C-alpha cells in the first residue's frame, strides 16, 4: 500500500464534534490565550453591560430610587467566509500520515483500521487549520492582496488605535530598539504598560484573566533577566527552561509571530496588556451553507487534497481596556 485513496467528509454534527470543537476548546484553546466563541449566531454579537458602581442606598422608606437602567453596549464581530486547502504528493502524504501512526505505541502497524488512518489524516489537517486561524487572528488584513487576508486581526485594530492620538482613553506608546536592548528593559516595559493602563483594567488583576501578549524578543529578554537572578531556582530554570512566564502574577504569553512579522508591515516587536476576555475569536460552522471538511485522492495528479470551509472573525471588544506598546520602525 503506497497511497491513501479513501475519501472522507465531515459535515453537520461530525464537523463540530470531530474537527472544530476539540480544536477550539481545552488545552488547544488555552494556547491561543483569547476568548473563543464557537457557533454563535451570525452576525456574532457580544453584549457588554455597564452597571452603576454604587447601588447601595439607605433603607429608609418604601419606593423605587434605582435611577436609570443599566447601560448596554453591543459589539458585533464580523465573520468572513474562509476556505483552507492543502495538497500533497500521494507518496509524501502516505509517509506523513504513517509517521503519525508509527509514533503511537498503541497501534498495530500490521493491522491498521480505517479509523486509525482517518484519525491520523484529520490530525494532520487540523494542525494546519489551527495554525492558520492563530496567525490570521493576530496578523490578518482583509485588504491585503495575499497571505493572511481572510479577516482582520488584532494587530490591524491595535495599529488603528495607536494612530488615534485624539482618543485620550486609548493607552498606547512606542519605543525604539535602543530602549529595549538590555534584559532589565523588558521589566521596565511591563511596568510602564501596567502604570499607564486604565485603572479599571488594573482592578481586573484579581480575576486572573490579565495577560501580557508579547513578541518572542521581549520574552527572551525577560528570561535573560530572570536568569541573572542569583538563586538556585534561576539556575535550575536556566538549565531546564521555563514552560510559562509571568510578571507579578500576570502571565507573559509569547505570540510566536516572528516568522510572520518578518515579511509584514506590522511592528516587529510589541507587547499588549489586556484582559484575555477582551480579545475575541469567533468561529462558525453551523450558519454557512456548504460548510464541510473534505479529504480525497485525485488520481489524475496522484495527489491527496484537503479542504475546509467555515466562517471566522475576531475583534477587540473594548479598546480602552488595554495598554499597548510597539517598536518604531
Amino acid at each position: 500500500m503506497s497511497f491513501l485513496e479513501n475519501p472522507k467528509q465531515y459535515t453537520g454534527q461530525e464537523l463540530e464534534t470531530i474537527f472544530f470543537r476539540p480544536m477550539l476548546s481545552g488545552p488547544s484553546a488555552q494556547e491561543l490565550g483569547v476568548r473563543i466563541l464557537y457557533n454563535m449566531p451570525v452576525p456574532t454579537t457580544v453584549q457588554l453591560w455597564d452597571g452603576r458602581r454604587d447601588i447601595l442606598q439607605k433603607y429608609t422608606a418604601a419606593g423605587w430610587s434605582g435611577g436609570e437602567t443599566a447601560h448596554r453596549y453591543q459589539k458585533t464581530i464580523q465573520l468572513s467566509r474562509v476556505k483552507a486547502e492543502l495538497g500533497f504528493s500521494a507518496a509524501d502524504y502516505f509517509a506523513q500520515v504513517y509517521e503519525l501512526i508509527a509514533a503511537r505505541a498503541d497501534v498495530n502497524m500490521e493491522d491498521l483500521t480505517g479509523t486509525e488512518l482517518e484519525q491520523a489524516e484529520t490530525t494532520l489537517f487540523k494542525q494546519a487549520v489551527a495554525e492558520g486561524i492563530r496567525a490570521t487572528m493576530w496578523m490578518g488584513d482583509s485588504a491585503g492582496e495575499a497571505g493572511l487576508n481572510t479577516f482582520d486581526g488584532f494587530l490591524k485594530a491595535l495599529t488603528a488605535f495607536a494612530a488615534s492620538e485624539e482618543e485620550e482613553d486609548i493607552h498606547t506608546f512606542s519605543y525604539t530598539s535602543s530602549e529595549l536592548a538590555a534584559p532589565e528593559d523588558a521589566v521596565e516595559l511591563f511596568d510602564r504598560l501596567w502604570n499607564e493602563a486604565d485603572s479599571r483594567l488594573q482592578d481586573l488583576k484579581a480575576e486572573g484573566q490579565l495577560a501580557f501578549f508579547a513578541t518572542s524578543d521581549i520574552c527572551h529578554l525577560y528570561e535573560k533577566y530572570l536568569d541573572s537572578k542569583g538563586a538556585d531556582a534561576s539556575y535550575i530554570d536556566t538549565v531546564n527552561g521555563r514552560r510559562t512566564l509571568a510578571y507579578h502574577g500576570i502571565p507573559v504569553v509569547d505570540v510566536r509571530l516572528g516568522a510572520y512579522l518578518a515579511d509584514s508591515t506590522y511592528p516587529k516587536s510589541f507587547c499588549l496588556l489586556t484582559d484575555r476576555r477582551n480579545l475575541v475569536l469567533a468561529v462558525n460552522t453551523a450558519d454557512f451553507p456548504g460548510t464541510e471538511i473534505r479529504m480525497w485522492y485525485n488520481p489524475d495528479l496522484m495527489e491527496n487534497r484537503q479542504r475546509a470551509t467555515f466562517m471566522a472573525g475576531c475583534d477587540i471588544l473594548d479598546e480602552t481596556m488595554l495598554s499597548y506598546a510597539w517598536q518604531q520602525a
Side-chain angles (χ1 to χ4, degrees), residues 232-301:
D232 292 341
S234 298
Y235 172 77
I236 294 173
D237 287 339
T238 302
V239 175
N240 299 329
R242 300 174 178 86
R243 298 188 61 182
T244 58
L245 292 174
Y247 180 67
H248 288 175
I250 302 176
V252 179
V253 181
D254 188 347
V255 294
R256 297 181 288 115
L257 295 174
Y260 300 101
L261 288 171
D263 300 324
S264 75
T265 58
Y266 291 122
K268 304 301 184 288
S269 174
F270 68 86
C271 188
L272 168 68
L273 171 63
T274 189
D275 190 297
R276 294 177 185 268
R277 296 165 295 188
N278 196 31
L279 306 178
V280 177
L281 169 68
V283 177
N284 187 286
T285 60
D287 298 337
F288 177 21
T291 299
E292 65 173 0
I293 302 292
R294 183 186 296 270
M295 293 176 278
W296 74 99
Y297 174 70
N298 185 336
D300 295 331
L301 298 178

Side-chain angles (χ1 to χ4, degrees), residues 184-234:
E184 57 270 16
D185 293 339
V187 175
E188 294 180 3
L189 178 62
F190 294 153
D191 280 338
R192 185 177 176 185
L193 285 167
W194 172 263
N195 293 329
E196 297 191 11
D198 192 286
S199 59
R200 295 175 300 152
L201 180 63
Q202 295 175 345
D203 292 341
L204 292 176
K205 181 179 179 181
E207 298 185 14
Q209 294 294 329
L210 294 187
F212 290 100
F213 295 92
T215 48
S216 299
D217 62 319
I218 297 176
C219 294
H220 178 69
L221 282 179
Y222 184 48
E223 283 196 285
K224 286 291 186 182
Y225 172 80
L226 297 177
D227 293 343
S228 65
K229 298 301 179 181
D232 292 341
S234 298

Side-chain angles (χ1 to χ4, degrees), residues 12 69 79 86 101 173 180 198 244 297:
T69 58
L79 298 185
L86 277 177
I101 298 175
F173 61 89
L180 192 68
D198 192 286
T244 58
Y297 174 70

Side-chain angles (χ1 to χ4, degrees), residues 131-198:
E131 176 61 17
I133 292 176
R134 186 192 73 85
T136 308
M137 174 185 71
W138 281 104
M139 300 191 52
D141 184 3
S142 59
E145 296 182 359
L148 304 180
N149 62 352
T150 50
F151 58 90
D152 291 332
F154 297 136
L155 280 178
K156 185 173 183 179
L158 290 170
T159 301
F161 297 154
S164 302
E165 298 180 355
E166 68 278 4
E167 296 289 345
E168 297 181 356
D169 294 333
I170 300 178
H171 309 279
T172 64
F173 61 89
S174 62
Y175 56 88
T176 62
S177 58
S178 60
E179 293 176 316
L180 192 68
E184 57 270 16
D185 293 339
V187 175
E188 294 180 3
L189 178 62
F190 294 153
D191 280 338
R192 185 177 176 185
L193 285 167
W194 172 263
N195 293 329
E196 297 191 11
D198 192 286

Side-chain angles (χ1 to χ4, degrees), residues 47-64:
Q47 312 293 335
L48 304 175
W49 292 91
D50 184 16
R52 293 174 55 187
R53 292 192 176 188
D54 184 12
I55 64 172
L56 300 181
Q57 304 175 30
K58 291 184 178 181
Y59 185 78
T60 56
W64 176 261

